[in-house]
Amino acid sequence: ADRSIPAAKQKYVPSSGTYPKGFLAGSAFAGVKASNTKYDDLALVVSEEPCPAAAIFTKNIFQAAPVKVSKSWLAKSRSEGQTFRGVVVNSGCANAVTGKVGQEHAEAMARKTDECFSDADETPKTLVMSTGVIGQRLPIDRITEAIPHLHSNLGSTHDHWLDAAKAICTTDTFPKLLSRTFTLPSHPDTTYSIAGMTKGAGMIHPNMG
Amino acid sequence: TLLGIICTDAKIDPRSMKKLLDKAARHSFNSISIDGDTSTNDTVAFFANGAAAPPGADPIALATVDERAKVFGPPRLNADTKAFATELSNFMTDLAKLVVRDGEGATKFVTIRVRSDVDYPTAKRAAVSIARSALVKTALYGKDANWGRILCAIGYAPGIMSSPELPAVDFPKVKDSDSLKQVRPDFTSVSFIPADGSEELKLLVRGEPEEVDEVRAKQILEMEDLEILVRLDDFPPPRGDLIRSHEAVMYTCDLSHEYVTINGDYRT
């Protein structure tokens, strides 16, 4: 599909941003969906140093493989004080209702990303997300082959963040990226940043916890 | 599917991150609806690396005790935690609103604000039911000030019951679980709040339809942004002044031909 941004939506796409220190973002093409031959469909957002993470997940009973995998790792991290580096995301295939193989694919995607970090060990460092059509298996070989390239594309500029925000889109008509700065009362001279990206256009009535 | 990734260089106590995220999601991502379908993949992840924090800075933590509270009262959130919780909540709300603005085929961004004298769940149930109603959403697409469909959606909302037997003067401050579900049709009002800050357009006041200026209604409905305000607590003054109002807000969009086109073509 043509992903040109409709004129009415262009005002929602930022042309610059202030991004948090020590985080990198990037995207790459894996060709998850056969009909997509030109748009990046893998995104990676990482912290340069391991850091604490949290997540909320759908309460739908049929939770997709990446939801189950990330959820179990986060649950384990709470009891063991584990830290994470970031999250790898593919668009084009939700890896949902794909059974045990789907779970293995989600783990493989995260493990391959972990291998890109110098501090790789046995504990998972990367959470995983997928979005797209339900009931199809991930083309995992194409994804794992693209992950080293995805890692080499990481950077901290606005364009890196925007590219990542675009890569997680499915039927979205525009990438959704926000960033801002703030201060805290205890250190009013210190400026902090917060940045976030989101995607979604249909099948949207979240009930996460 | 909704996905979200949020990163900050503030320093946050790992044990507090999930609670902060949960709390902020309540009024942001968990308060949007495009088509009423909850995905198998919805996930929002939150990372905090502390890279901007000065050396020795205390982490933002929900369990911390304000120094003043040690003297003046029970433990409460410290100022940093409060400030960050507000920042995160506002940030996530703005992100969530972007999703609604991109609703498949959507032409309108609609805020549904429901006030109940009973409790928050009552207000939330009514707001969700309106936001999920295909007929309300098609009316909005058709620029139709159809308050009847809004009332209909409130009336069948799960967990909401009518209590016509209660006299107006004794409408209860609730004590038990049954009365938590009460909505009185004759105390229900519906208005459109224009996005340009002009005067609200009252469609229904305490169960009675207003003479609606159709030209004004059309003007309001032609704007991209619209707020629907529902009062389930619309007591005649001064009685109404004594009742505390609980407010729930949902963000949604209209339902257009384009939604069917996109989803008729998007297959497993």
mmCIF file of all heavy atoms in Angstrom, chain B residues 123-170:
data_model
loop_
_atom_site.group_PDB
_atom_site.id
_atom_site.type_symbol
_atom_site.label_atom_id
_atom_site.label_comp_id
_atom_site.label_asym_id
_atom_site.label_seq_id
_atom_site.Cartn_x
_atom_site.Cartn_y
_atom_site.Cartn_z
ATOM 1 N N ALA B 123 -19.871 5.876 35.552
ATOM 2 C CA ALA B 123 -19.543 6.832 34.488
ATOM 3 C C ALA B 123 -18.752 6.154 33.375
ATOM 4 O O ALA B 123 -19.011 6.358 32.187
ATOM 5 C CB ALA B 123 -18.754 7.999 35.073
ATOM 6 N N LYS B 124 -17.810 5.299 33.770
ATOM 7 C CA LYS B 124 -16.952 4.632 32.778
ATOM 8 C C LYS B 124 -17.773 3.668 31.920
ATOM 9 O O LYS B 124 -17.604 3.618 30.696
ATOM 10 C CB LYS B 124 -15.826 3.887 33.506
ATOM 11 C CG LYS B 124 -14.872 3.127 32.622
ATOM 12 C CD LYS B 124 -13.801 4.007 32.013
ATOM 13 C CE LYS B 124 -12.802 3.171 31.209
ATOM 14 N NZ LYS B 124 -11.628 3.931 30.815
ATOM 15 N N ARG B 125 -18.655 2.898 32.554
ATOM 16 C CA ARG B 125 -19.470 1.942 31.787
ATOM 17 C C ARG B 125 -20.306 2.670 30.740
ATOM 18 O O ARG B 125 -20.424 2.215 29.600
ATOM 19 C CB ARG B 125 -20.416 1.185 32.729
ATOM 20 C CG ARG B 125 -19.714 0.137 33.565
ATOM 21 C CD ARG B 125 -20.709 -0.569 34.482
ATOM 22 N NE ARG B 125 -20.020 -1.436 35.412
ATOM 23 C CZ ARG B 125 -20.104 -1.344 36.736
ATOM 24 N NH1 ARG B 125 -20.862 -0.429 37.294
ATOM 25 N NH2 ARG B 125 -19.430 -2.175 37.491
ATOM 26 N N ALA B 126 -20.874 3.784 31.133
ATOM 27 C CA ALA B 126 -21.695 4.541 30.184
ATOM 28 C C ALA B 126 -20.826 5.097 29.051
ATOM 29 O O ALA B 126 -21.191 5.019 27.872
ATOM 30 C CB ALA B 126 -22.407 5.682 30.913
ATOM 31 N N ALA B 127 -19.659 5.625 29.412
ATOM 32 C CA ALA B 127 -18.765 6.211 28.392
ATOM 33 C C ALA B 127 -18.293 5.147 27.404
ATOM 34 O O ALA B 127 -18.267 5.378 26.192
ATOM 35 C CB ALA B 127 -17.569 6.876 29.082
ATOM 36 N N VAL B 128 -17.942 3.975 27.927
ATOM 37 C CA VAL B 128 -17.468 2.890 27.052
ATOM 38 C C VAL B 128 -18.585 2.437 26.117
ATOM 39 O O VAL B 128 -18.364 2.210 24.924
ATOM 40 C CB VAL B 128 -16.952 1.699 27.901
ATOM 41 C CG1 VAL B 128 -16.729 0.463 27.047
ATOM 42 C CG2 VAL B 128 -15.659 2.079 28.614
ATOM 43 N N SER B 129 -19.784 2.341 26.656
ATOM 44 C CA SER B 129 -20.905 1.870 25.837
ATOM 45 C C SER B 129 -21.187 2.839 24.687
ATOM 46 O O SER B 129 -21.454 2.414 23.558
ATOM 47 C CB SER B 129 -22.144 1.701 26.718
ATOM 48 O OG SER B 129 -23.135 0.970 26.042
ATOM 49 N N ILE B 130 -21.098 4.123 24.969
ATOM 50 C CA ILE B 130 -21.298 5.121 23.901
ATOM 51 C C ILE B 130 -20.177 4.990 22.867
ATOM 52 O O ILE B 130 -20.416 4.991 21.652
ATOM 53 C CB ILE B 130 -21.310 6.555 24.486
ATOM 54 C CG1 ILE B 130 -22.482 6.739 25.453
ATOM 55 C CG2 ILE B 130 -21.394 7.589 23.362
ATOM 56 C CD1 ILE B 130 -22.360 7.992 26.327
ATOM 57 N N ALA B 131 -18.942 4.845 23.375
ATOM 58 C CA ALA B 131 -17.781 4.793 22.473
ATOM 59 C C ALA B 131 -17.803 3.554 21.588
ATOM 60 O O ALA B 131 -17.202 3.548 20.513
ATOM 61 C CB ALA B 131 -16.486 4.830 23.288
ATOM 62 N N ARG B 132 -18.469 2.491 22.036
ATOM 63 C CA ARG B 132 -18.497 1.241 21.262
ATOM 64 C C ARG B 132 -19.696 1.174 20.321
ATOM 65 O O ARG B 132 -19.793 0.243 19.530
ATOM 66 C CB ARG B 132 -18.581 0.040 22.202
ATOM 67 C CG ARG B 132 -17.340 -0.220 22.985
ATOM 68 C CD ARG B 132 -17.495 -1.450 23.835
ATOM 69 N NE ARG B 132 -16.899 -2.589 23.169
ATOM 70 C CZ ARG B 132 -16.072 -3.450 23.781
ATOM 71 N NH1 ARG B 132 -15.796 -3.306 25.053
ATOM 72 N NH2 ARG B 132 -15.553 -4.447 23.126
ATOM 73 N N SER B 133 -20.628 2.102 20.444
ATOM 74 C CA SER B 133 -21.865 1.994 19.673
ATOM 75 C C SER B 133 -21.632 2.337 18.200
ATOM 76 O O SER B 133 -21.292 3.473 17.846
ATOM 77 C CB SER B 133 -22.930 2.930 20.257
ATOM 78 O OG SER B 133 -23.971 3.104 19.319
ATOM 79 N N ALA B 134 -21.862 1.358 17.342
ATOM 80 C CA ALA B 134 -21.703 1.589 15.900
ATOM 81 C C ALA B 134 -22.697 2.638 15.415
ATOM 82 O O ALA B 134 -22.384 3.443 14.528
ATOM 83 C CB ALA B 134 -21.890 0.284 15.140
ATOM 84 N N LEU B 135 -23.884 2.652 16.000
ATOM 85 C CA LEU B 135 -24.890 3.610 15.532
ATOM 86 C C LEU B 135 -24.576 5.038 15.985
ATOM 87 O O LEU B 135 -24.834 5.990 15.249
ATOM 88 C CB LEU B 135 -26.284 3.187 16.011
ATOM 89 C CG LEU B 135 -26.888 2.017 15.223
ATOM 90 C CD1 LEU B 135 -28.222 1.591 15.818
ATOM 91 C CD2 LEU B 135 -27.068 2.385 13.753
ATOM 92 N N VAL B 136 -24.027 5.196 17.180
ATOM 93 C CA VAL B 136 -23.578 6.542 17.592
ATOM 94 C C VAL B 136 -22.483 7.009 16.635
ATOM 95 O O VAL B 136 -22.484 8.148 16.150
ATOM 96 C CB VAL B 136 -23.056 6.537 19.046
ATOM 97 C CG1 VAL B 136 -22.340 7.841 19.371
ATOM 98 C CG2 VAL B 136 -24.199 6.309 20.029
ATOM 99 N N LYS B 137 -21.570 6.093 16.326
ATOM 100 C CA LYS B 137 -20.406 6.475 15.521
ATOM 101 C C LYS B 137 -20.768 6.757 14.062
ATOM 102 O O LYS B 137 -20.183 7.624 13.423
ATOM 103 C CB LYS B 137 -19.336 5.382 15.628
ATOM 104 C CG LYS B 137 -18.729 5.343 17.043
ATOM 105 C CD LYS B 137 -18.251 3.979 17.428
ATOM 106 C CE LYS B 137 -16.872 3.702 16.932
ATOM 107 N NZ LYS B 137 -15.832 4.272 17.793
ATOM 108 N N THR B 138 -21.750 6.028 13.536
ATOM 109 C CA THR B 138 -22.177 6.341 12.171
ATOM 110 C C THR B 138 -22.957 7.658 12.141
ATOM 111 O O THR B 138 -22.883 8.409 11.168
ATOM 112 C CB THR B 138 -23.039 5.214 11.558
ATOM 113 O OG1 THR B 138 -24.062 4.866 12.484
ATOM 114 C CG2 THR B 138 -22.202 3.990 11.236
ATOM 115 N N ALA B 139 -23.699 7.945 13.222
ATOM 116 C CA ALA B 139 -24.402 9.231 13.299
ATOM 117 C C ALA B 139 -23.397 10.384 13.296
ATOM 118 O O ALA B 139 -23.612 11.404 12.634
ATOM 119 C CB ALA B 139 -25.257 9.294 14.564
ATOM 120 N N LEU B 140 -22.292 10.193 14.020
ATOM 121 C CA LEU B 140 -21.267 11.245 14.053
ATOM 122 C C LEU B 140 -20.659 11.437 12.668
ATOM 123 O O LEU B 140 -20.403 12.559 12.235
ATOM 124 C CB LEU B 140 -20.181 10.889 15.074
ATOM 125 C CG LEU B 140 -20.642 10.908 16.533
ATOM 126 C CD1 LEU B 140 -19.606 10.253 17.442
ATOM 127 C CD2 LEU B 140 -20.925 12.339 16.989
ATOM 128 N N TYR B 141 -20.453 10.326 11.969
ATOM 129 C CA TYR B 141 -19.922 10.418 10.604
ATOM 130 C C TYR B 141 -20.912 11.171 9.704
ATOM 131 O O TYR B 141 -20.514 11.974 8.864
ATOM 132 C CB TYR B 141 -19.665 9.009 10.049
ATOM 133 C CG TYR B 141 -19.194 9.007 8.623
ATOM 134 C CD1 TYR B 141 -17.949 9.520 8.283
ATOM 135 C CD2 TYR B 141 -20.003 8.494 7.602
ATOM 136 C CE1 TYR B 141 -17.517 9.523 6.968
ATOM 137 C CE2 TYR B 141 -19.575 8.493 6.287
ATOM 138 C CZ TYR B 141 -18.333 9.008 5.968
ATOM 139 O OH TYR B 141 -17.910 9.017 4.662
ATOM 140 N N GLY B 142 -22.198 10.919 9.927
ATOM 141 C CA GLY B 142 -23.228 11.570 9.127
ATOM 142 C C GLY B 142 -23.608 12.954 9.626
ATOM 143 O O GLY B 142 -24.582 13.539 9.154
ATOM 144 N N LYS B 143 -22.871 13.468 10.611
ATOM 145 C CA LYS B 143 -23.099 14.812 11.177
ATOM 146 C C LYS B 143 -24.530 14.959 11.712
ATOM 147 O O LYS B 143 -25.192 15.968 11.520
ATOM 148 C CB LYS B 143 -22.791 15.890 10.131
ATOM 149 C CG LYS B 143 -21.367 15.862 9.605
ATOM 150 C CD LYS B 143 -21.136 16.954 8.578
ATOM 151 C CE LYS B 143 -19.695 17.011 8.099
ATOM 152 N NZ LYS B 143 -19.242 15.827 7.394
ATOM 153 N N ASP B 144 -24.984 13.912 12.377
ATOM 154 C CA ASP B 144 -26.345 13.877 12.910
ATOM 155 C C ASP B 144 -26.279 13.994 14.438
ATOM 156 O O ASP B 144 -25.640 13.164 15.090
ATOM 157 C CB ASP B 144 -26.984 12.539 12.486
ATOM 158 C CG ASP B 144 -28.360 12.323 13.088
ATOM 159 O OD1 ASP B 144 -28.959 13.310 13.585
ATOM 160 O OD2 ASP B 144 -28.844 11.175 13.052
ATOM 161 N N ALA B 145 -26.939 15.001 14.979
ATOM 162 C CA ALA B 145 -26.932 15.210 16.445
ATOM 163 C C ALA B 145 -27.893 14.224 17.106
ATOM 164 O O ALA B 145 -28.902 14.596 17.702
ATOM 165 C CB ALA B 145 -27.333 16.644 16.762
ATOM 166 N N ASN B 146 -27.567 12.957 17.011
ATOM 167 C CA ASN B 146 -28.524 11.902 17.383
ATOM 168 C C ASN B 146 -28.369 11.505 18.852
ATOM 169 O O ASN B 146 -27.786 10.472 19.187
ATOM 170 C CB ASN B 146 -28.302 10.698 16.465
ATOM 171 C CG ASN B 146 -29.510 9.793 16.445
ATOM 172 O OD1 ASN B 146 -30.147 9.594 17.473
ATOM 173 N ND2 ASN B 146 -29.810 9.245 15.286
ATOM 174 N N TRP B 147 -28.955 12.315 19.739
ATOM 175 C CA TRP B 147 -28.826 12.030 21.174
ATOM 176 C C TRP B 147 -29.580 10.764 21.557
ATOM 177 O O TRP B 147 -29.290 10.142 22.579
ATOM 178 C CB TRP B 147 -29.273 13.225 22.006
ATOM 179 C CG TRP B 147 -30.622 13.763 21.651
ATOM 180 C CD1 TRP B 147 -30.889 14.811 20.822
ATOM 181 C CD2 TRP B 147 -31.891 13.275 22.105
ATOM 182 N NE1 TRP B 147 -32.237 15.008 20.731
ATOM 183 C CE2 TRP B 147 -32.880 14.083 21.508
ATOM 184 C CE3 TRP B 147 -32.292 12.252 22.953
ATOM 185 C CZ2 TRP B 147 -34.233 13.892 21.724
ATOM 186 C CZ3 TRP B 147 -33.644 12.051 23.179
ATOM 187 C CH2 TRP B 147 -34.600 12.869 22.559
ATOM 188 N N GLY B 148 -30.549 10.373 20.749
ATOM 189 C CA GLY B 148 -31.313 9.155 21.039
ATOM 190 C C GLY B 148 -30.413 7.925 21.050
ATOM 191 O O GLY B 148 -30.533 7.054 21.907
ATOM 192 N N ARG B 149 -29.494 7.869 20.099
ATOM 193 C CA ARG B 149 -28.574 6.728 20.051
ATOM 194 C C ARG B 149 -27.598 6.757 21.239
ATOM 195 O O ARG B 149 -27.164 5.707 21.713
ATOM 196 C CB ARG B 149 -27.794 6.740 18.732
ATOM 197 C CG ARG B 149 -28.672 6.459 17.525
ATOM 198 C CD ARG B 149 -27.872 6.457 16.233
ATOM 199 N NE ARG B 149 -28.751 6.273 15.088
ATOM 200 C CZ ARG B 149 -28.337 6.253 13.824
ATOM 201 N NH1 ARG B 149 -27.047 6.428 13.547
ATOM 202 N NH2 ARG B 149 -29.184 6.078 12.836
ATOM 203 N N ILE B 150 -27.259 7.963 21.682
ATOM 204 C CA ILE B 150 -26.361 8.079 22.845
ATOM 205 C C ILE B 150 -27.052 7.536 24.093
ATOM 206 O O ILE B 150 -26.496 6.732 24.847
ATOM 207 C CB ILE B 150 -25.933 9.552 23.049
ATOM 208 C CG1 ILE B 150 -25.095 10.019 21.854
ATOM 209 C CG2 ILE B 150 -25.168 9.729 24.363
ATOM 210 C CD1 ILE B 150 -24.836 11.526 21.804
ATOM 211 N N LEU B 151 -28.299 7.947 24.287
ATOM 212 C CA LEU B 151 -29.064 7.457 25.450
ATOM 213 C C LEU B 151 -29.267 5.951 25.375
ATOM 214 O O LEU B 151 -29.149 5.238 26.379
ATOM 215 C CB LEU B 151 -30.432 8.129 25.508
ATOM 216 C CG LEU B 151 -30.478 9.590 25.902
ATOM 217 C CD1 LEU B 151 -31.921 10.031 26.023
ATOM 218 C CD2 LEU B 151 -29.746 9.819 27.215
ATOM 219 N N CYS B 152 -29.557 5.472 24.176
ATOM 220 C CA CYS B 152 -29.767 4.034 23.984
ATOM 221 C C CYS B 152 -28.517 3.265 24.433
ATOM 222 O O CYS B 152 -28.621 2.267 25.142
ATOM 223 C CB CYS B 152 -30.067 3.786 22.510
ATOM 224 S SG CYS B 152 -30.193 2.059 22.095
ATOM 225 N N ALA B 153 -27.354 3.766 24.038
ATOM 226 C CA ALA B 153 -26.100 3.081 24.389
ATOM 227 C C ALA B 153 -25.866 3.086 25.902
ATOM 228 O O ALA B 153 -25.345 2.117 26.461
ATOM 229 C CB ALA B 153 -24.935 3.740 23.667
ATOM 230 N N ILE B 154 -26.246 4.151 26.561
ATOM 231 C CA ILE B 154 -26.105 4.188 28.028
ATOM 232 C C ILE B 154 -27.050 3.160 28.653
ATOM 233 O O ILE B 154 -26.702 2.431 29.579
ATOM 234 C CB ILE B 154 -26.448 5.593 28.578
ATOM 235 C CG1 ILE B 154 -25.462 6.634 28.056
ATOM 236 C CG2 ILE B 154 -26.451 5.589 30.115
ATOM 237 C CD1 ILE B 154 -25.901 8.076 28.320
ATOM 238 N N GLY B 155 -28.235 3.070 28.098
ATOM 239 C CA GLY B 155 -29.286 2.244 28.684
ATOM 240 C C GLY B 155 -29.013 0.758 28.686
ATOM 241 O O GLY B 155 -29.548 0.036 29.528
ATOM 242 N N TYR B 156 -28.203 0.284 27.727
ATOM 243 C CA TYR B 156 -27.907 -1.154 27.724
ATOM 244 C C TYR B 156 -26.490 -1.455 28.223
ATOM 245 O O TYR B 156 -26.030 -2.587 28.161
ATOM 246 C CB TYR B 156 -28.125 -1.772 26.336
ATOM 247 C CG TYR B 156 -27.223 -1.264 25.223
ATOM 248 C CD1 TYR B 156 -25.854 -1.529 25.224
ATOM 249 C CD2 TYR B 156 -27.740 -0.546 24.152
ATOM 250 C CE1 TYR B 156 -25.031 -1.082 24.202
ATOM 251 C CE2 TYR B 156 -26.927 -0.090 23.127
ATOM 252 C CZ TYR B 156 -25.571 -0.369 23.156
ATOM 253 O OH TYR B 156 -24.757 0.091 22.154
ATOM 254 N N ALA B 157 -25.791 -0.445 28.708
ATOM 255 C CA ALA B 157 -24.418 -0.660 29.172
ATOM 256 C C ALA B 157 -24.393 -1.724 30.261
ATOM 257 O O ALA B 157 -25.205 -1.675 31.189
ATOM 258 C CB ALA B 157 -23.828 0.644 29.701
ATOM 259 N N PRO B 158 -23.473 -2.697 30.150
ATOM 260 C CA PRO B 158 -23.400 -3.732 31.183
ATOM 261 C C PRO B 158 -23.212 -3.112 32.569
ATOM 262 O O PRO B 158 -22.399 -2.207 32.744
ATOM 263 C CB PRO B 158 -22.152 -4.533 30.788
ATOM 264 C CG PRO B 158 -21.950 -4.247 29.345
ATOM 265 C CD PRO B 158 -22.455 -2.854 29.112
ATOM 266 N N GLY B 159 -24.004 -3.586 33.521
ATOM 267 C CA GLY B 159 -23.836 -3.121 34.899
ATOM 268 C C GLY B 159 -24.614 -1.870 35.238
ATOM 269 O O GLY B 159 -24.618 -1.431 36.381
ATOM 270 N N ILE B 160 -25.284 -1.283 34.244
ATOM 271 C CA ILE B 160 -26.060 -0.076 34.542
ATOM 272 C C ILE B 160 -27.536 -0.434 34.654
ATOM 273 O O ILE B 160 -28.077 -1.127 33.808
ATOM 274 C CB ILE B 160 -25.836 1.009 33.469
ATOM 275 C CG1 ILE B 160 -24.464 1.640 33.702
ATOM 276 C CG2 ILE B 160 -26.936 2.046 33.480
ATOM 277 C CD1 ILE B 160 -24.181 2.856 32.885
ATOM 278 N N MET B 161 -28.163 0.026 35.731
ATOM 279 C CA MET B 161 -29.577 -0.255 35.932
ATOM 280 C C MET B 161 -30.318 1.042 36.194
ATOM 281 O O MET B 161 -29.755 1.999 36.716
ATOM 282 C CB MET B 161 -29.780 -1.167 37.154
ATOM 283 C CG MET B 161 -29.132 -2.525 37.006
ATOM 284 S SD MET B 161 -29.611 -3.627 38.328
ATOM 285 C CE MET B 161 -29.271 -2.681 39.772
ATOM 286 N N SER B 162 -31.582 1.023 35.849
ATOM 287 C CA SER B 162 -32.435 2.176 36.122
ATOM 288 C C SER B 162 -33.035 2.045 37.520
ATOM 289 O O SER B 162 -33.188 0.940 38.033
ATOM 290 C CB SER B 162 -33.542 2.228 35.079
ATOM 291 O OG SER B 162 -34.505 3.162 35.473
ATOM 292 N N SER B 163 -33.368 3.158 38.110
ATOM 293 C CA SER B 163 -34.012 3.095 39.424
ATOM 294 C C SER B 163 -35.167 4.090 39.483
ATOM 295 O O SER B 163 -35.141 5.038 40.250
ATOM 296 C CB SER B 163 -32.997 3.411 40.521
ATOM 297 O OG SER B 163 -32.438 4.670 40.271
ATOM 298 N N PRO B 164 -36.196 3.874 38.666
ATOM 299 C CA PRO B 164 -37.275 4.865 38.576
ATOM 300 C C PRO B 164 -38.104 4.964 39.848
ATOM 301 O O PRO B 164 -38.817 5.941 40.044
ATOM 302 C CB PRO B 164 -38.116 4.338 37.407
ATOM 303 C CG PRO B 164 -37.819 2.876 37.345
ATOM 304 C CD PRO B 164 -36.409 2.723 37.807
ATOM 305 N N GLU B 165 -38.022 3.959 40.704
ATOM 306 C CA GLU B 165 -38.861 3.983 41.901
ATOM 307 C C GLU B 165 -38.379 4.973 42.957
ATOM 308 O O GLU B 165 -39.074 5.292 43.898
ATOM 309 C CB GLU B 165 -38.946 2.578 42.529
ATOM 310 C CG GLU B 165 -37.693 2.094 43.236
ATOM 311 C CD GLU B 165 -36.611 1.591 42.288
ATOM 312 O OE1 GLU B 165 -36.782 1.679 41.055
ATOM 313 O OE2 GLU B 165 -35.585 1.117 42.787
ATOM 314 N N LEU B 166 -37.178 5.462 42.801
ATOM 315 C CA LEU B 166 -36.635 6.351 43.822
ATOM 316 C C LEU B 166 -37.112 7.788 43.607
ATOM 317 O O LEU B 166 -36.971 8.328 42.526
ATOM 318 C CB LEU B 166 -35.104 6.332 43.778
ATOM 319 C CG LEU B 166 -34.475 5.007 44.201
ATOM 320 C CD1 LEU B 166 -33.018 4.975 43.808
ATOM 321 C CD2 LEU B 166 -34.632 4.823 45.689
ATOM 322 N N PRO B 167 -37.679 8.390 44.613
ATOM 323 C CA PRO B 167 -38.100 9.782 44.457
ATOM 324 C C PRO B 167 -36.899 10.710 44.313
ATOM 325 O O PRO B 167 -35.847 10.468 44.906
ATOM 326 C CB PRO B 167 -38.849 10.072 45.766
ATOM 327 C CG PRO B 167 -38.346 9.059 46.724
ATOM 328 C CD PRO B 167 -37.949 7.860 45.937
ATOM 329 N N ALA B 168 -37.091 11.744 43.539
ATOM 330 C CA ALA B 168 -35.979 12.632 43.207
ATOM 331 C C ALA B 168 -35.285 13.204 44.436
ATOM 332 O O ALA B 168 -34.068 13.259 44.504
ATOM 333 C CB ALA B 168 -36.489 13.764 42.328
ATOM 334 N N VAL B 169 -36.085 13.605 45.413
ATOM 335 C CA VAL B 169 -35.490 14.279 46.564
ATOM 336 C C VAL B 169 -34.613 13.357 47.410
ATOM 337 O O VAL B 169 -33.768 13.814 48.160
ATOM 338 C CB VAL B 169 -36.567 14.905 47.475
ATOM 339 C CG1 VAL B 169 -37.172 16.116 46.793
ATOM 340 C CG2 VAL B 169 -37.624 13.869 47.841
ATOM 341 N N ASP B 170 -34.850 12.043 47.267
ATOM 342 C CA ASP B 170 -34.080 11.107 48.071
ATOM 343 C C ASP B 170 -33.101 10.287 47.251
ATOM 344 O O ASP B 170 -32.714 9.200 47.646
ATOM 345 C CB ASP B 170 -35.023 10.150 48.815
ATOM 346 C CG ASP B 170 -35.772 10.888 49.907
ATOM 347 O OD1 ASP B 170 -35.158 11.745 50.566
ATOM 348 O OD2 ASP B 170 -36.961 10.622 50.051
#
